[in-house]
Amino acid sequence: MRLSRYFLPVLKENPAEAQIASHRLMLRAGMIKQQQAGIYSWLPLGFKVLRRIEEIVHEEQIRAGHLPVLMPTLQPADLWQESGRYDAYGPEMLRITDRHGRDMLYGPTNEEMITDIFRAHVESYKSLPMTLYHIQWKFRDEVRPRFGVMRGREFYMKDGYSFDLTKEDALHAYNRHMVAYLRTYERMGLTAIPMRADSGPIGGDNTHEFLVLAPTGESEVFYDAKVPELHLGDREVDYDDKDAVAEICKEFTSLYARTDETHDEALFNDLPEDRRCTARGIEVGQIFYFGTKYSEAMGATVNSPEGKKVPVEMGSHGIGVSRLVGALIEANHDEKGIIWPEGVTPFHCGIVNLKQGDAACDSACDGLYAALKKAGLDPLYDDRSERAGAKFATMDLIGLPWRITVGPRGIAANKVELTSRRTGESEEMSAEVAVARIVDIYEAHR
Ligand code: P5A
C-alpha cells in the first residue's frame, strides 16, 4: 500500500476522552472512530489488525478440530425465555421489537441459539464430540463503556460451544480450548495467564479467564511469579489425545493464579513471599463448563449408546477479539506510539522515502516495494512529500515492527537502513539484504 492512496486519519493531539494508552493510540493512529458511547467504526488500519487477530483465532480453532459457523446478531426473545435468561440478563441486554411486535434482542452471547441449532439437527451420540464456533458482533449495554474497544457496548467476540455425551468428554473440550487459546495468544505475541474465575451469567462452576498483565487492566489478579514464565512454544499438540491435553492444562493451572473473585488469601500466603504477585489484568478470554444447564432447559438431547435420551453436556468458550486489539497495544507501546508484534502487525514493513521526487530514491523505493510484495509481504510505502521527521513520527505512531529508510546519501553507496521499532536499532545494508532479512523474520511467524 502507498500511503498517498491510503486512508490514515492520524491525529496530532491527544484526544481528551482517552484515559489509557491503547484508546489514545487507536484514535491517534486513525484505527477507529467512535460513533456512540462504546460503539466504533473500524478504519482501514484498525480493521486490518482486527482481521489479522480473527485469522489467527480461526486457524487455531480449526487446528483444534472446531467447526466455524455464523449465527445472526439478532435473536428471538423466545429462545431466551426457554432458558430463563431473558429476564435474568437485565438491562445489559438490548431489547428490540420488530414491526410485527415480536420481541428480539441483539445477542450478548449465543448459548441459546446454538442449543436450538443442535436440538434441530443432532440426534445421536455418534455425532459427538462437536464444537461449533463463530466470530460475530455482540452487544452488551454496559453501564460504563470505557477505554475504547476494551469495554465496548458493541464488540467482536469469538464464541465456541462444545457438545459431548459425557462430563469427561466435555472436560476434554474445555481443556482443548484452554490449549488452543494459549497457542492463539502466544501467536499474537501475548502472555495470557489462565486464572480460576467466577462464571457470572453464563453459569457453571468450572471456569478460567485468560488475563494479560497490564497496569490498566480492570481485574485485580493474584499469581505465583513462576506462572508468567510458562510458555507453550512450538510443541506439537494432538488435540484428540485427552491425557496429553490434560497434562498441558495441569502445567498451566497448577500454580496459584486467581482473579479477585476467587482469590483465597490463605492459599496465596502458602507461597514463598517473593513469589506472591498482585497485579492488574485484562481479560481477553474465558472458558466455561456448565454441563446440562441449557440442554436440559431447552430439550437438547442425544440418544446414548444404551438407547436412552440424555441431555447433552455443554461448555462455551469466548475470546474478546476486538478487546485484544486494545490489550495488544497496552502490552506493546512506548511514548512514540504502538509497537506491533510481528504476528498481528497491519503491514509487515514500512518504507520511508526521505527524498520523494528524487529519481534514485523513488526507484529504490519502488524496487523494495515490488520485491517485498513479490515475497508475499504487505509493505506500507510512505511516498508522500513530507518532511523526514513527520514520516518517522507517523511510522512510530502506527507501530510497524520494521522500517526501511531510503535516502540520497545511502542510495549513492547502495545502502538502505533497516530499523527495528521495538529496539530502535538501525543497520545499513543493501536493499536486497534488507528484503531477505524481512522475509526471514516473517518466515519464522508463519
Ligand atoms: C463464552 C463464549 C461468554 O460470553 N459465552 C460465549 C461465554 N463469555 S464472556 O467472558 O462473557 O465473554 C467472552 C470475552 O469477550 C470479551 N468481552 C468484551 N470485550 C469488549 N467489550 C465488552 N463489553 C466485553 N465483554 C466481554 C472478553 O474478552 C471476554 O473474555
Side-chain angles (χ1 to χ4, degrees):
M1 177 56 63
R2 286 170 190 269
L3 195 46
S4 61
R5 298 187 197 159
Y6 204 48
F7 178 49
L8 186 73
V10 297
L11 305 178
K12 292 226 163 51
E13 304 298 325
N14 274 332
E17 73 269 28
Q19 300 164 27
I20 62 169
S22 58
H23 188 194
R24 193 163 59 237
L25 291 170
M26 286 182 79
L27 290 169
R28 282 200 51 211
M31 295 176 67
I32 50 168
K33 178 182 185 308
Q34 182 175 312
Q35 304 294 165
Q36 291 180 59
I39 304 182
Y40 293 87
S41 290
W42 291 77
L43 306 182
L45 190 76
F47 189 50
K48 242 169 172 283
V49 178
L50 189 69
R51 280 276 175 267
R52 183 69 198 119
I53 292 171
E54 185 179 355
E55 223 169 76
I56 294 176
V57 171
H58 270 300
E59 283 171 13
E60 294 308 324
Q61 286 304 302
I62 287 167
R63 198 195 301 279
H66 306 158
L67 305 172
V69 295
L70 185 60
M71 290 177 268
T73 51
L74 293 180
Q75 304 186 20
D78 20 337
L79 284 182
W80 288 67
Q81 268 142 3
E82 280 189 61
S83 73
R85 281 208 296 181
Y86 190 60
D87 295 326
Y89 221 94
E92 267 200 20
M93 179 184 276
L94 180 65
R95 294 154 208 263
I96 309 162
T97 312
D98 74 5
R99 68 202 298 167
H100 305 292
R102 287 190 199 107
D103 290 328
M104 308 199 292
L105 55 107
Y106 193 131
T109 176
N110 285 56
E111 279 80 6
E112 284 77 359
M113 188 166 271
I114 203 85
T115 307
D116 180 54
I117 293 173
F118 185 90
R119 71 181 171 187
H121 297 289
V122 183
E123 284 179 0
S124 164
Y125 75 93
K126 289 181 189 151
S127 303
L128 307 180
M130 183 162 86
T131 294
L132 304 174
Y133 78 93
H134 71 165
I135 303 183
Q136 177 61 294
W137 293 95
K138 305 285 183 290
F139 196 95
R140 294 182 186 173
D141 205 351
E142 302 274 351
V143 205
R144 289 215 303 145
R146 56 183 190 152
F147 299 162
V149 300
M150 297 272 250
R151 181 160 296 280
R153 292 198 296 162
E154 191 182 40
F155 60 98
Y156 207 36
M157 188 205 284
K158 172 264 163 184
D159 40 327
Y161 304 87
S162 54
F163 300 95
D164 288 279
L165 178 64
T166 63
K167 178 172 180 182
E168 188 199 329
D169 288 350
L171 290 175
H172 173 54
Y174 184 91
N175 289 344
R176 214 169 52 230
H177 278 88
M178 182 177 289
V179 175
Y181 279 21
L182 290 170
R183 172 148 282 167
T184 303
Y185 300 126
E186 276 191 22
R187 275 189 64 188
M188 296 175 192
L190 276 181
T191 303
I193 304 172
M195 300 200 180
R196 191 159 283 288
D198 181 59
S199 69
I202 305 294
D205 45 29
N206 210 352
T207 181
H208 280 87
E209 285 179 1
F210 292 78
L211 287 116
V212 172
L213 300 176
T216 48
E218 290 188 299
S219 318
E220 190 175 18
V221 298
F222 304 84
Y223 61 94
D224 185 326
K226 291 199 173 304
V227 182
E229 293 167 15
L230 299 170
H231 292 289
L232 199 57
D234 52 9
R235 64 181 103 166
E236 283 288 321
V237 180
D238 175 357
Y239 282 103
D240 290 330
D241 184 336
K242 283 186 186 166
D243 294 338
V245 170
E247 199 51 45
I248 299 175
C249 293
K250 201 165 139 205
E251 179 186 334
F252 280 83
T253 56
S254 297
L255 295 170
Y256 191 92
R258 296 195 184 190
T259 63
D260 51 358
E261 294 155 344
T262 55
H263 178 54
D264 180 328
E265 198 66 28
L267 265 182
F268 188 58
N269 288 336
D270 284 346
L271 287 176
E273 200 173 347
D274 61 341
R275 278 171 48 191
R276 277 178 235 157
C277 301
T278 308
R280 303 205 63 88
I282 304 167
E283 180 205 323
V284 291
Q286 188 163 5
I287 54 177
F288 302 81
Y289 161 71
F290 43 69
T292 57
K293 172 176 168 175
Y294 298 91
S295 56
E296 267 190 73
M298 296 180 65
T301 58
V302 283
N303 292 319
S304 73
E306 295 78 35
K308 281 200 296 195
K309 273 198 184 318
V310 293
V312 69
E313 287 274 336
M314 289 174 62
S316 74
H317 316 278
I319 293 185
V321 175
S322 49
R323 177 177 286 181
L324 269 168
V325 182
L328 276 156
I329 298 175
E330 286 301 320
N332 298 283
H333 70 272
D334 62 14
E335 70 290 344
K336 292 188 210 152
I338 305 166
I339 309 171
W340 292 115
E342 276 85 356
V344 294
T345 184
F347 292 98
H348 295 110
C349 167
I351 302 171
V352 169
N353 187 344
L354 293 180
K355 198 162 184 201
Q356 202 69 41
D358 174 274
C361 288
D362 291 1
S363 137
C365 287
D366 287 341
L368 277 166
Y369 185 75
L372 288 163
K373 293 278 269 192
K374 194 161 171 231
L377 297 174
D378 193 6
L380 179 67
Y381 169 22
D382 191 345
D383 60 345
R384 300 168 306 159
S385 305
E386 290 275 347
R387 293 179 297 112
K391 290 191 173 188
F392 289 144
T394 302
M395 282 294 171
D396 285 344
L397 173 64
I398 68 172
L400 309 185
W402 299 94
R403 184 186 81 208
I404 302 178
T405 309
V406 176
R409 230 177 315 133
I411 286 304
N414 191 26
K415 292 265 190 280
V416 299
E417 195 181 59
L418 179 64
T419 308
S420 154
R421 172 69 181 87
R422 195 169 288 279
T423 65
E425 280 164 25
S426 293
E427 227 185 294
E428 281 200 327
M429 58 193 75
S430 71
E432 294 71 28
V433 172
V435 169
R437 286 273 286 275
I438 304 274
V439 168
D440 279 352
I441 289 163
Y442 285 102
E443 212 40 66
H445 284 271
R446 272 193 214 281

